Amino acid sequence: MSSPETPAPERREVTVRRAPKYVPFLVLGGLLGFALAAFLAYGAPGNESYDPGTVFGFFLVPCAAGGAILGAVVALLLDRLSLRRAQHAVVEAVPDSVPDAGPENDGRLDGGTGSQPRP
């Protein structure tokens, strides 16, 4: 009785780095722009002929868009810096001893029979 041959594990070189998530930077920049627009409309002295709500609406779009753009630039700079600190590693595939939960068994490890274990 011969044992089945296991294929040699596949080895790959990968790059590991910490990259920023862009959406939080965009949202934070937009919120800072929102705060700047509120300060310009309600905190700074202005012309009495304009309603502060109108001034806020006028400054809201350019300040929020500018803040989001600045947040994106900061995220891009941090992403570029993370490339410098990237580390290289060699990984190899290891065969699973337990099958993964997946759509073929509806996310359950019991083979997808739908039966619940008895207490």
Side-chain angles (χ1 to χ4, degrees), residues 4-76:
E5 290 185 30
T6 58
E10 181 184 349
R11 302 183 103 194
R12 280 194 254 172
E13 186 174 324
V14 296
T15 302
V16 180
R17 67 185 180 102
R18 292 183 56 149
K21 294 182 179 181
Y22 289 91
V23 173
F25 282 93
L26 293 171
V27 170
L28 182 62
L31 289 175
L32 288 176
F34 179 83
L36 178 64
F39 173 75
L40 291 174
Y42 298 108
N47 192 343
E48 296 296 325
S49 63
Y50 294 108
D51 180 44
T54 305
V55 174
F56 176 71
F58 180 76
F59 281 117
L60 179 62
V61 174
C63 288
I69 290 171
L70 285 176
V73 168
V74 169
L76 285 172

Side-chain angles (χ1 to χ4, degrees), residues 86-100:
Q87 297 177 352
H88 298 285
V90 177
V91 296
E92 66 181 48
V94 177
D96 289 340
S97 60
V98 177
D100 293 335

Side-chain angles (χ1 to χ4, degrees), residues 8 31 49 58 60 68-69 77-80 82 92 106 108:
L31 289 175
S49 63
F58 180 76
L60 179 62
I69 290 171
L77 290 174
L78 289 175
D79 188 33
R80 187 61 60 180
S82 74
E92 66 181 48
D106 197 22
R108 294 187 298 259

